[in-house]
C-alpha cells in the first residue's frame, strides 16, 4: 500500500502507542502517505464526557505533535492531519467552532452513532429493525451530501440481523448514492485483522454489482498493525473477489 488515511492515536482512549511510533511503523511498512484521523471530539451538551474519543482540550496537543512529526519526517513520508467523525447535525455547529482555528485537512465519515452518543446505541449492536437500517443509510448519505468528507469508513459497520434481502435493498441505495458522488468505500483492515462482522460479504457483493471503488483503511489502533502485510493482501483479494477498483494514491491532491 502507498497510502492510508485511517490512523488513530492513544487520545481516543482505545488505541495505544505514541504518535511517532505510528509514523515510524508506516515508514517501515513502505507507506508514502499517512493520514491521521483520530476520533473527532464533540462538544456534548450537559457536560457529557466521551470514553471513546479525544476531549476538546486535547486538540491542541494533537496538532502540535502531528505537525512537528510532519516536518521531521517530510523526506520519508507525507503526513496529513484530519479526523474520523460522525455526521450529527445537532452538534455540528459547536464542533465547527471548536475546530475553526486548526488546519484540519480532511474528515472521513465513520457513522458510529445516529445521534448524541450519550443517549444513542452504538451501530454495531445487533438489530433487526429495518427502520434503524434505513435511518443509518439516510444519515450517511446526508453526511456525504455536505461535501465535508473524504470517504466513508467501514460503511458496513451497522449490525443488521434481519433478512438479507432487506439489508441489501438499503445498502444498494447507499452504494448507488456513493457511486454518484464518486466516493470510495473503505475495506477496513482492523475488521479483517480481528475477524469482526465487517467487512460484510453481503455488503461488498452489492458494492461490486453497483461498481463502487474501494479504499483500504488500516484503522490503526496500534503501530504494529501497519506491519501486517498478510492483512493487506487479504484485503486486496477481497477487492478482487468483488470486482472493486482500489484507490491507492494521495486523494487529497
Amino acid at each position: 500500500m502507498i497510502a492510508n488515511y485511517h490512523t488513530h492515536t492513544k487520545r481516543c482512549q482505545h488505541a495505544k502507542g505514541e504518535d511517532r511510533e505510528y509514523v515510524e511503523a508506516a515508514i517501515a511498512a513502505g507507506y508514502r502517505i499517512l493520514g491521521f484521523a483520530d476520533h473527532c471530539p464533540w462538544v456534548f451538551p450537559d457536560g457529557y464526557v466521551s470514553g471513546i474519543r479525544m476531549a476538546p482540550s486535547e486538540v491542541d496537543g494533537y496538532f502540535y505533535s502531528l505537525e512537528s512529526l510532519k516536518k521531521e519526517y517530510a523526506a520519508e513520508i507525507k503526513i496529513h492531519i484530519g479526523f474520523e467523525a460522525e455526521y450529527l447535525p445537532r452538534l455540528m455547529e459547536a464542533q465547527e467552532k471548536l475546530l475553526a482555528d486548526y488546519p484540519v485537512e480532511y474528515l472521513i465519515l465513520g457513522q458510529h452513532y445516529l445521534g448524541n452518543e450519550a443517549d444513542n446505541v452504538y451501530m454495531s449492536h445487533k438489530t433487526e429493525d429495518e427502520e434503524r437500517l434505513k435511518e443509518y443509510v439516510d444519515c450517511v448519505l446526508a453526511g456525504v451530501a455536505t461535501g465535508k468528507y473524504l470517504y466513508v469508513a467501514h460503511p458496513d459497520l451497522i449490525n443488521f440481523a434481519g433478512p438479507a434481502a432487506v439489508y441489501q435493498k438499503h445498502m444498494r441505495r447507499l452504494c448507488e448514492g456513493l457511486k454518484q458522488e464518486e466516493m470510495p468505500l473503505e475495506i477496513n483492515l482492523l475488521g479483517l485483522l480481528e475477524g469482526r462482522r465487517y467487512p460484510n460479504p453481503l455488503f461488498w457483493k452489492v458494492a461490486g454489482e453497483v461498481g463502487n471503488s474501494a479504499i483500504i483503511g488500516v484503522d490503526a489502533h496500534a503501530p504494529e498493525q501497519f506491519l501486517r502485510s498478510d492483512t493487506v493482501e487479504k484485503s486486496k483479494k477481497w477487492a478482487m473477489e468483488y470486482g472493486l477498483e482500489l484507490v491507492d494514491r494521495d486523494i487529497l491532491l
Side-chain angles (χ1 to χ4, degrees), residues 7 34 39 42 51 53 86 95 141 173 199 233:
T7 310
L34 177 63
H39 290 285
W42 291 95
R53 61 186 75 242
E86 293 80 7
Q95 186 189 64
L141 289 176
R173 183 163 60 91
E233 289 308 310

Side-chain angles (χ1 to χ4, degrees), residues 49 74 88-89 106 138 145 159 161:
V49 178
L88 303 175
Y106 71 101
D138 288 344
N159 186 3

Side-chain angles (χ1 to χ4, degrees), residues 127 129-138 158 160 166-168 170-171 173:
T127 181
D129 184 356
E130 182 178 358
E131 186 56 35
R132 183 167 169 78
L133 175 62
K134 179 182 179 298
E135 188 179 357
Y136 172 78
V137 172
D138 288 344
I158 186 168
F160 182 72
V166 171
Y167 176 83
Q168 290 183 305
H170 288 284
M171 288 309 194
R173 183 163 60 91

Side-chain angles (χ1 to χ4, degrees), residues 1 6 8 56 66 70 74 89 92 107 126 130 137 139 146 157 173 184 195 198 202 204 212 237 243:
M1 285 176 62
H6 197 167
H8 293 277
L66 297 183
K70 187 175 188 175
M92 298 292 280
L107 300 174
K126 187 180 291 187
E130 182 178 358
V137 172
C139 189
T146 67
L157 176 67
R173 183 163 60 91
Y198 59 89
L202 286 176
W204 292 101
N212 292 99
K237 289 179 181 176

